[in-house]
Amino acid sequence: MAVIIDGKKISQQIKDELKEKVSALKAEGKTGALAVIQVGADPASSVYVRNKKNACAYIGIESLAYELPEETTEEELLHLIQELNEKEKVRGILVQLPLPGHICQEKVIQAISPEKDVDGFHPESVGNMTIGAPGFLSCTPAGIIQLLKRSDIEIAGKHCVVVGRSNIVGKPMALLMLRENATVTVTHSRTRNLPEICRQADILIVAVGKPQFIGAEYVKEGAAVIDVGIHRDENNKLCGDVKFDEVMPRASAITPVPGGVGPMTIAMLMNNCVQSIEEGR
Ligand code: GUN
């Protein structure tokens, strides 16, 4: 029977550590703000944005909210980012994704100064992460590393299978696990014999974006299972990419949905903001 990894508790510990750090930095005269930009009013995005603003308030950093209408043009958004790039007190800039279809996501991400790219999505941040140079780490994968470490799950030498190859989770996740000396396999929708490959994992990280896709037949007895998915099932209840009830008895550790990976993403965003204030870059 698996240990249930409590992401809510671990993220709270991290936020409490950050709160202390922020107060020490304030005493040294080091402060800064996070600018949070949302274009349109997608309800899920509004929840995430609210949670990010609340987390800033909790750890004691200022957040500046930019709630822009759906019809905002790409040019207007790029102009705002440029302004924020130049504003000294703004230490982090976050543009909530997805953006409306008429705005090019890549262009927007590339417009954010890498020094303020607290999401870690800019190609320069991704490049630095790839070669192990200093820079902001992508929040969800960095949060998963913290979940594993703080749950005393050894990574070095283990076989980690990542299911999914998105730019914001799958790919950076694989790179960070490699940095932690895991042996890493990345799988995706074109992978053959997916259950067989997943069954080789000591650590199985699932970010496929398909509700309850991974059942017990994908999991080796004693594996640690990390579920990045978040969906609503037919009864409007939150669920992940993993069939929790079916997989739990086989696993040694598993993250629940909600309360697993989700809260860690915000904790690591706060960590990046504090890093940015600290470095005063
Ligand atoms: N949309 C879903 N996840 C994220 C995230 O981590 N950052 C941003 N900016 N948008 C998202």
Side-chain angles (χ1 to χ4, degrees), residues 37 66 68 75-85:
I37 306 172
Y66 296 87
L68 309 180
E75 200 186 347
E76 285 167 330
L77 179 57
L78 293 174
H79 185 77
L80 171 62
I81 292 171
Q82 201 46 46
E83 259 180 45
L84 296 169
N85 280 341

Side-chain angles (χ1 to χ4, degrees), residues 122-152:
H122 191 284
E124 193 172 312
S125 306
V126 177
N128 282 330
M129 180 187 60
T130 306
I131 60 171
F136 294 116
L137 298 180
S138 180
C139 301
T140 302
I144 291 170
I145 299 286
Q146 284 300 313
L147 273 185
L148 293 168
K149 287 190 170 172
R150 291 175 185 245
S151 305
D152 294 319

Side-chain angles (χ1 to χ4, degrees), residues 37 45 48 52 94-98 119 121 139-140 168 265:
I37 306 172
S45 288
Y48 293 132
K52 288 169 187 177
L94 181 143
V95 179
Q96 187 62 32
L97 304 177
D119 255 329
F121 291 165
C139 301
T140 302
I168 65 171
T265 301

